Amino acid sequence: MTKNSISNLREKMKELDINKSEPYTNKHIKNKLRERYEDNICISECDGYNDLVTMREKTSTILRSYFQRKDGNDDFQKWAIIETAAMLIKSEIKTCTSCVTDTNPSTTELLGDAPYKFLPESLWLFLDLIIVGDKNHTKVSSIGQALIQATRPRMVLVPLQVGLGVQLYHLFRSEFLLSTLATMGFCVSYKEVKRFKKNAASFVSQNFLDDILDKNERLIMFAGDNVDHNLVTLDGHGTFHGMGIIAATTPGVKLNSEVKRCKVTDLDILNKSRIPIVNYRPSSQAHKEILFEDVPKFPGIIVKNIDVLWELSLNLTKPTPNWQKLMHTLHSGSNYPGKSTVTFLPMIDMYSGDRSCILSTFTFTSTFVP
């Protein structure tokens, strides 16, 4: 249990009570602390974790302490100025940076000027004066976020360190590398990266349902194909043959990229990403009548002649247009639906040619049809 957590404070109250009565609840303690200290206290709340409490120092208090010890020789004044500046920056870090929530940093916090704007004003001004170079924003952002993470290790989860940890794990799969960099303060721990990946795997199907299926007037096309991994191994074990499924949505939608940050077990991931297996029984389905709707007719140009037109254009025009250029020319001025969105769905751990696997794929995708 963390020393500066609400639960720890409640246990201390229980120990100091002579009558050994039941102390306040955690919620009531937090309300009392906010009522007493107002803006001077910061409580970090996160689902599944202990609520953490830290105190903030106001700028006026820090400057008053500096002027009280201002007198002295030059070395003493120099150290007093440095210590006061450090306390001012630390106070602004505690005040401006948002605490850890139940959601991991999003990808938008890693792009453009977002990492630079994540820093408090005093911190980026301090680092901008020290670090030299034409393109020092990247260095200022990374070093500044590392300082924020080191200042508040249990209260803040900075975006750049999460992104770096996930990227390194994706490329090298090395626990030693992540643990070494985390010890040096350059990225999040290996445990935090594993938690991120479990949450990402757990919520992919739910995000698909929330972001795509609830939208009207969209065409969803499903595609399934074999997925093979480690086809040839020395002992013949560790191979994977399965069915991979994707969903292409037209026009495209902006997917919810928020990845929750909570405790997820392997069983939770399995239950949320499992596709029900339907056993294929020919005798029970041989005489069933299957009806298909009519294929929609495309207005305007005849689709089957597009290939012939493109083949003729290879000999008549220079430079030769590719297929993409041809489609742009044919549909110029028309109502273009926009770029499609491709979503990866859970895999089926079965041989893709197995009839039960094929039937399970069709049954799973048919559940999304309104």
Side-chain angles (χ1 to χ4, degrees):
M1 184 182 297
T2 309
K3 292 183 179 180
N4 59 338
S5 64
I6 295 292
S7 300
N8 183 265
L9 179 60
R10 188 170 182 270
E11 291 297 326
K12 286 295 181 182
M13 293 174 60
K14 192 173 183 180
E15 292 177 7
L16 297 175
D17 190 2
I18 301 176
N19 299 325
K20 299 299 180 182
S21 59
E22 191 67 21
Y24 296 144
T25 62
N26 290 0
K27 182 178 180 180
H28 189 68
I29 293 175
K30 288 189 288 185
N31 293 334
K32 286 294 183 180
L33 289 174
R34 290 193 178 102
E35 181 181 346
R36 171 65 177 82
Y37 295 101
E38 298 179 350
D39 295 338
N40 294 331
I41 194 170
C42 176
I43 301 177
S44 174
E45 301 176 350
C46 184
D47 185 25
Y49 298 90
N50 292 325
D51 297 331
L52 303 178
V53 182
T54 54
M55 300 298 297
R56 294 169 175 164
E57 290 186 271
K58 291 187 176 180
T59 304
S60 58
T61 306
I62 298 172
L63 293 177
R64 189 180 301 113
S65 64
Y66 164 70
F67 283 105
Q68 289 176 354
R69 59 187 177 183
K70 183 178 178 182
D71 298 331
N73 55 27
D74 293 341
D75 290 338
F76 182 82
Q77 291 186 16
K78 179 182 69 174
W79 290 114
I81 292 174
I82 294 175
E83 184 178 351
T84 304
M87 294 177 64
L88 288 170
I89 294 175
K90 185 177 181 180
S91 175
E92 190 171 358
I93 288 176
K94 290 183 177 181
T95 305
C96 297
T97 54
S98 58
C99 297
V100 175
T101 62
D102 57 352
T103 304
N104 281 282
S106 61
T107 54
T108 56
E109 298 179 69
L110 303 174
L111 305 175
D113 295 335
Y116 190 73
K117 294 179 180 178
F118 183 84
L119 308 180
E121 185 177 357
S122 59
L123 181 58
W124 67 252
L125 176 61
F126 170 73
L127 294 176
D128 203 38
L129 293 174
I130 294 178
I131 300 174
V132 298
D134 296 334
K135 299 179 180 180
N136 64 342
H137 277 202
T138 303
K139 294 180 182 179
V140 170
S141 302
S142 58
I143 296 175
Q145 292 195 18
L147 289 175
I148 293 175
Q149 187 67 63
T151 304
R152 312 186 70 191
R154 295 186 297 270
M155 304 285 287
V156 177
L157 197 63
V158 296
L160 283 182
Q161 294 205 351
V162 176
L164 179 62
V166 173
Q167 184 181 29
L168 291 177
Y169 180 82
H170 179 72
L171 294 175
F172 304 105
R173 304 290 177 122
S174 174
E175 180 180 356
F176 170 77
L177 177 61
L178 289 176
S179 300
T180 303
L181 292 176
T183 304
M184 295 179 178
F186 297 140
C187 75
V188 294
S189 63
Y190 177 77
K191 180 180 178 182
E192 188 65 39
V193 174
K194 294 290 288 185
R195 181 187 291 119
F196 174 85
K197 294 184 74 65
K198 285 185 177 181
N199 279 276
S202 175
F203 288 95
V204 60
S205 298
Q206 188 63 41
N207 286 343
F208 173 75
L209 294 174
D210 296 340
D211 298 333
I212 296 181
L213 298 183
D214 293 340
K215 307 293 191 303
N216 297 324
E217 298 181 358
R218 279 181 168 82
L219 173 66
I220 303 178
M221 182 180 69
F222 295 93
D225 202 352
N226 62 299
V227 177
D228 301 309
H229 182 65
N230 287 342
L231 299 183
V232 180
T233 58
L234 294 176
D235 54 2
H237 299 289
T239 60
F240 176 80
H241 301 278
M243 174 72 79
I245 308 173
I246 63 173
T249 309
T250 306
V253 295
K254 184 178 180 181
L255 296 177
N256 181 15
S257 59
E258 288 187 352
V259 177
K260 299 295 182 180
R261 185 179 181 269
C262 55
K263 295 181 179 179
V264 179
T265 62
D266 294 338
L267 184 60
D268 294 334
I269 299 175
L270 183 63
N271 292 333
K272 290 185 178 181
S273 60
R274 177 185 294 173
I275 295 179
I277 302 300
V278 181
N279 294 324
Y280 175 76
R281 295 187 178 92
S283 58
S284 61
Q285 302 184 21
H287 301 289
K288 282 188 176 181
E289 184 178 2
I290 302 176
L291 299 177
F292 296 95
E293 295 183 359
D294 295 335
V295 178
K297 296 181 179 180
F298 295 95
I301 190 170
I302 301 176
V303 178
K304 66 179 181 179
N305 291 335
I306 296 180
D307 290 334
V308 179
L309 178 62
W310 181 59
E311 292 288 346
L312 291 174
S313 67
L314 298 179
N315 298 322
L316 298 177
T317 60
K318 291 183 180 181
T320 303
N322 55 14
W323 178 258
Q324 184 179 10
K325 173 64 176 177
L326 176 66
M327 297 304 296
H328 275 289
T329 304
L330 292 176
H331 294 279
S332 61
S334 60
N335 187 13
Y336 177 59
K339 183 179 179 181
S340 302
T341 300
V342 178
T343 307
F344 292 90
L345 299 179
M347 298 182 184
I348 300 179
D349 189 7
M350 294 180 65
Y351 170 59
S352 58
D354 188 274
R355 295 188 176 184
S356 295
C357 179
I358 298 174
L359 179 60
S360 302
T361 303
F362 281 119
T363 304
F364 173 73
T365 54
S366 64
T367 57
F368 298 124
V369 179

